[in-house]
Amino acid sequence: MQRAPVEAAIRLAPGSPLVLQRAAESELAAGRVDNAAALSRDALARSPFDVRALRVLGLTEARAGREDAADDILTLAGNWSLRDDPAHAWLVERRLRRGDYASAFAHADTLVRRRQDIQPQVFRLFTVAGTEDPQRSLPVIASLLAARPPWRTAYLSGLNQTAQELQLAASLAILLQTSQAPLTNDELQRLYRTLLGKRQLEALRTVRGRINRPPPGAAVTNGGFADAAAPEPFQWRLVQRAGIVAEVVADDLRSSNPALRVDYDGYATGPVAEQLTSLAPGAYRFTAEVRTETGNPAARLAWTLYCATGGAVASVPAGVPNATPNAWTTVSARINVPDSCPAQWLRLETRAGDRRSRTVVWFDRIEISPAG
């Protein structure tokens, strides 16, 4: 009854609900709708909770143009079995035609949780709805993502090609921020890097402002080097290369307060530390506390602010000339961020000489605040 050809099985066991249900599916696949409807009704008369027979009956109603009846029947089939893919697929299409995103996407979620092979089609459905009808569909998509379905990472990671997809990813990140499952640091870091790589700097600045909400005077993330939880690129990235050692270690002069220690040979070139900022155009004051162990950091290192679209904004010597060794001092300078510069790189860079001359220096409490 389970494996024999339907024609043989129906002759052997014409009263079996299983055989009748198989025969109904076969007749529907062959386009013989009336036969399929009759067989499915016979199957249900013998086994009222046969989901597959119920689904065939619902699809025959749809083929006959009685879509309201089909909707009722297939909704029941979908409720009875999360594994009845054809029922859920029909309900997705039907609910979308009615503009019922909540119901359509709930059934799509049921499908995509079970079958990775249809993820591209379902993800495309979400993306098209999110870009063409964002006001009604985005809250529904965000609600699904807030439940942390197994497909969440795959969907969010795939929104990285077109400008519309990137805008959708940014909008979802903002909506999820107020949910029970906001973006994780890994998800947020991936979004930030994607927006940065695609040069969507205004979107990057908007997302950061809505999600991280840096307070006034805290434009530099982790300026005290004590909290590495924030995602890159709005977080320090330390560069290690021959001639440059940069590390966050405890400062014994300040009760083991963490600070950035740089050991530089005076000859290597390149950045030492960097992070992205999102300053609005205007005047600011850069400050950093510095302690020199040896060498001349004012001549060999500098804090430089670059516009992410290109070009240096300001450069500040990374030390105080003739400062007392092993005493904390403050460097300060006024900087101006021009228009059309929605994001900036703050970098500690080398100023190499023609021969090696070791510099060991500490940095702490780095801030960029509005100029008074």
Side-chain angles (χ1 to χ4, degrees):
M1 288 190 296
Q2 292 178 338
R3 300 180 181 178
V6 173
E7 295 80 0
I10 198 72
R11 288 196 297 271
L12 290 171
S16 165
L18 172 61
V19 172
L20 290 169
Q21 164 248 301
R22 288 187 59 210
E25 290 181 316
S26 178
E27 290 296 285
L28 182 63
R32 293 185 283 270
V33 177
D34 291 341
N35 288 350
L39 288 164
S40 63
R41 291 183 186 279
D42 286 345
L44 287 168
R46 291 167 172 79
S47 180
F49 298 101
D50 188 326
V51 173
R52 294 170 67 177
L54 188 64
R55 178 237 301 157
V56 172
L57 179 61
L59 293 177
T60 62
E61 290 292 292
R63 297 274 185 94
R66 295 185 288 271
E67 290 205 347
D68 288 342
D71 191 287
D72 291 339
I73 294 170
L74 290 170
T75 297
L76 186 59
N79 291 339
W80 281 359
S81 175
L82 298 179
R83 294 179 174 273
D84 198 304
D85 295 346
H88 289 289
W90 188 90
L91 289 167
V92 169
E93 182 180 355
R94 162 76 168 170
R95 303 294 163 78
L96 279 178
R97 289 202 307 267
R98 291 166 49 186
D100 187 350
Y101 288 114
S103 181
F105 290 173
H107 289 288
D109 174 46
T110 299
L111 288 171
V112 82
R113 282 175 180 267
R114 292 187 51 248
R115 294 182 51 186
Q116 290 189 356
D117 61 308
I118 63 171
Q119 280 188 357
Q121 298 97 306
V122 174
F123 289 174
R124 181 63 183 163
L125 175 68
F126 291 157
T127 300
V128 169
T131 54
E132 294 187 358
D133 192 5
Q135 186 172 1
R136 293 197 302 150
S137 65
L138 277 183
V140 180
I141 300 171
S143 178
L144 291 179
L145 293 170
R148 294 200 179 280
W151 50 266
R152 167 171 158 147
T153 297
Y155 179 61
L156 291 175
S157 300
L159 296 174
N160 59 9
Q161 296 301 315
T162 67
Q164 291 81 6
E165 289 178 349
L166 293 172
Q167 181 59 53
L168 176 60
S171 298
L172 287 172
I174 293 170
L175 285 173
L176 285 169
Q177 183 62 21
T178 58
S179 75
Q180 70 271 25
L183 292 191
T184 65
N185 271 2
D186 286 343
E187 290 171 337
L188 193 54
Q189 180 169 296
R190 188 183 303 114
L191 174 60
Y192 283 158
R193 290 197 173 279
T194 300
L195 293 172
L196 182 63
K198 296 291 185 178
R199 314 298 289 177
Q200 299 292 316
L201 300 181
E202 288 291 352
L204 177 66
R205 178 177 168 183
T206 299
V207 173
R208 197 222 175 182
R210 295 285 297 275
I211 291 179
N212 294 123
R213 299 181 185 276
V220 177
T221 303
N222 193 21
F225 300 98
D227 180 12
E232 293 185 10
F234 297 103
Q235 176 62 276
W236 294 113
R237 185 178 75 91
L238 305 183
V239 180
Q240 308 290 345
R241 57 162 55 90
I244 303 174
V245 177
E247 55 186 345
V248 176
V249 293
D251 173 22
D252 292 337
L253 297 185
R254 285 183 165 178
S255 302
S256 298
N257 176 72
L260 174 63
R261 184 179 186 272
V262 178
D263 191 336
Y264 173 49
D265 70 356
Y267 187 73
T269 60
V272 178
E274 68 176 9
Q275 71 166 260
L276 197 69
T277 64
S278 54
L279 299 166
Y284 296 88
R285 180 156 296 277
F286 170 87
T287 59
E289 296 188 2
V290 186
R291 176 167 72 86
T292 303
E293 285 188 24
T294 186
N296 184 7
R300 288 288 177 258
L301 296 162
W303 289 100
T304 304
L305 194 69
Y306 290 94
C307 185
T309 56
V313 174
S315 184
V316 182
V320 177
N322 303 316
T324 303
N326 283 317
W328 283 99
T329 58
T330 300
V331 296
S332 177
R334 184 184 176 92
I335 58 177
N336 289 287
V337 176
D339 295 333
S340 303
C341 184
Q344 309 83 30
W345 285 105
L346 175 63
R347 292 189 176 118
L348 177 63
E349 297 181 315
T350 64
R351 296 290 184 262
D354 55 5
R355 66 175 183 270
R356 287 176 172 79
S357 177
R358 188 183 182 208
T359 295
V360 179
V361 60
W362 296 69
F363 298 98
D364 197 7
R365 300 174 187 172
I366 299 163
E367 296 180 0
I368 298 178
S369 56

